Amino acid sequence: MAETLKRRIGLGLLTAYGVGVMVGAGIYVLVGAVAAEAGIWAPLAFVLAGVIAAPTALSYAEFSTRLPEAAGEAVFVAKGLNLPWLGTLVGLAIVAAGTVSAAAVLRGGVGYLGAVTGLPFGPSVIVLGLVLMGVAILGVLESLAVAALFTVVEVAGLALVMFAGFTAAPAPDWQVGGELVWSGVIAAAVLAFFAFIGFEDIVNMAEEVREPERILPRAILLSLVITSALYALVSIAAVRAVPLATLGASEQPLALVWQAGRGGSAAFLSLIAVAAALNGVLAQMVMASRVLFGLGRRSPALAGFHHAHPRLGTPLRATLLIGVAVIAGALLLPVADLAGLTSSLLLGVFVLVNAALIAMKRTSPEAAFRVPIAVPVFGLFAALAALIVSFLGGTG
């Protein structure tokens, strides 16, 4: 019985994985919602959201060099706060959040696919779910290569939207300009913060990365910078090309940008949204199975999941369980309602991880990659503020 995963992943694939998780199908809707709050200053809101996410990302980066293990957050909280039971609870929460998120995204992606192709919903969910589960079982290199391919398709789609937006006739709002109202920009930045959730998945690949202490922090920070730049550029293209009232009211804002700049149908964006959705499902399946594998090392009740296939080097049992749960969830559960809770759950984890790093830095300050103590302190308060906003109904 194998109990170790294969180290096959380098910086390029890991960064692409991080970008792919963050630049999910959400960007196709979120641009309009952020523009409704911030007006033509929507790009500033996305950059500000990246700045708010950065301290927690840096905390994850330091922890990833201290404790490069699968079930990253669970290990960080267990060791940093010296509360093993809380670590296990955090790990199970991450598994649940990843599974529900993947089920919701699979359901949404199949919905897009059905709208374009007319394929039936139920059989499509089962077939696509099984194919993605098969890829996840086949190998981590294969999984992340497929995810990288989906990411390239997503980024190419966003590049086409940028091209359309930058070549369109400027909308009246863009020509007039707009007063910078900080309350609107900050509200939009909190909303946009949820678009950056995903960088934390990178740490759960730690046992399959070739040089984790060097590669993990770089991949986390690179993926955050690339995603911030993409979001800012796409939102500039959007507010430049489409009147703000129209943009803010639309559920398909990027389709409006394409039509403003190039005319004709934007149906291809639905197919790109399918690629984004499949990427999200695969990434969450891979992540959640690694967390379950890591928890199996620490919890006797979950020990059966600390098992890697001897030839493929993937956590077979954990991947099978997660894959079946994702397919069942997409078919049977009100996952759209539950998906809103997953972001709040992850913000709670961010609070705990930052608190754990503050505690660990006090007892053992040395690490291969270190950030000042102010970073996790700011990260803790930023995540707590976003969590409160989500509970008050602003984003949840």
Side-chain angles (χ1 to χ4, degrees):
M1 182 187 290
E3 291 187 353
T4 55
L5 304 173
K6 290 185 178 179
R7 294 195 180 277
R8 304 174 67 194
I9 302 303
L11 180 62
L13 274 183
L14 194 60
T15 303
Y17 172 77
V19 171
V21 174
M22 284 189 272
V23 184
I27 185 64
Y28 291 85
V29 179
L30 197 62
V31 166
V34 171
E37 293 280 358
I40 66 162
W41 297 99
L44 177 61
F46 275 108
V47 171
L48 192 58
V51 171
I52 294 169
T56 297
L58 285 163
S59 293
Y60 271 79
E62 176 168 332
F63 254 138
S64 72
T65 65
R66 287 175 175 269
L67 300 164
E69 297 180 35
E73 294 100 332
V75 181
F76 302 164
V77 170
K79 292 197 173 178
L81 298 176
N82 198 24
L83 294 170
W85 65 268
L86 185 58
T88 300
L89 201 61
V90 163
L92 290 172
I94 294 287
V95 171
T99 303
V100 168
S101 173
V105 172
L106 179 58
R107 194 177 177 88
V110 169
Y112 274 117
L113 188 65
V116 176
T117 63
L119 288 169
F121 178 79
S124 298
V125 166
I126 294 168
V127 170
L128 286 175
L130 288 173
V131 168
L132 293 171
M133 185 167 69
V135 172
I137 288 168
L138 190 60
V140 70
L141 192 62
E142 292 77 7
S143 299
L144 265 60
V146 170
L149 189 62
F150 284 140
T151 301
V152 168
V153 172
E154 286 177 65
V155 173
L158 295 178
L160 287 171
V161 170
M162 288 178 219
F163 172 70
F166 287 124
T167 55
D173 299 301
W174 180 262
Q175 290 176 311
V176 171
E179 185 186 350
L180 176 56
V181 180
W182 276 109
S183 59
V185 170
I186 289 167
V190 172
L191 190 62
F193 176 82
F194 292 87
F196 289 93
I197 288 177
F199 63 81
E200 73 284 355
D201 289 359
I202 292 172
V203 299
N204 291 303
M205 307 307 296
E207 292 182 40
E208 291 154 290
V209 175
R210 284 198 289 267
E211 299 172 72
E213 288 86 352
R214 187 177 68 85
I215 288 176
L216 283 169
R218 292 184 183 186
I220 291 168
L221 299 177
L222 270 173
S223 59
L224 191 67
V225 169
I226 291 166
T227 304
S228 300
L230 278 172
Y231 285 160
L233 288 168
V234 168
S235 55
I236 290 170
V239 296
R240 183 188 182 281
V242 181
L244 290 173
T246 311
L247 192 68
S250 175
E251 289 192 1
Q252 294 183 305
L254 300 193
L256 294 178
V257 179
W258 177 260
Q259 286 160 350
R262 312 312 301 167
S265 170
F268 75 96
L269 284 176
S270 290
L271 290 174
I272 291 169
V274 173
L278 296 181
N279 195 3
V281 175
L282 180 59
Q284 295 296 332
M285 274 188 188
V286 168
M287 179 279 294
S289 61
R290 270 62 185 177
V291 176
L292 208 45
F293 174 88
L295 287 175
R297 178 189 292 127
R298 306 185 158 275
S299 168
L302 300 169
F305 293 111
H306 188 60
H307 167 264
H309 190 279
R311 186 170 59 82
L312 301 173
T314 52
L316 179 63
R317 293 172 188 166
T319 308
L320 284 170
L321 177 66
I322 299 296
V324 169
V326 167
I327 294 167
L331 289 171
L332 304 171
L333 295 176
V335 284
D337 301 333
L338 294 172
L341 296 173
T342 64
S343 54
S344 299
L345 200 61
L346 289 169
L347 285 170
V349 172
F350 289 175
V351 171
L352 289 173
V353 167
N354 281 300
L357 184 59
I358 293 166
M360 187 168 272
K361 285 172 86 68
R362 288 172 176 274
T363 55
S364 52
E366 293 305 313
F369 175 88
R370 283 181 297 171
V371 297
I373 191 78
V375 168
V377 170
F378 184 84
L380 189 153
F381 283 111
L384 201 55
L387 185 62
I388 290 165
V389 169
S390 75
F391 276 131
L392 292 176
T395 53

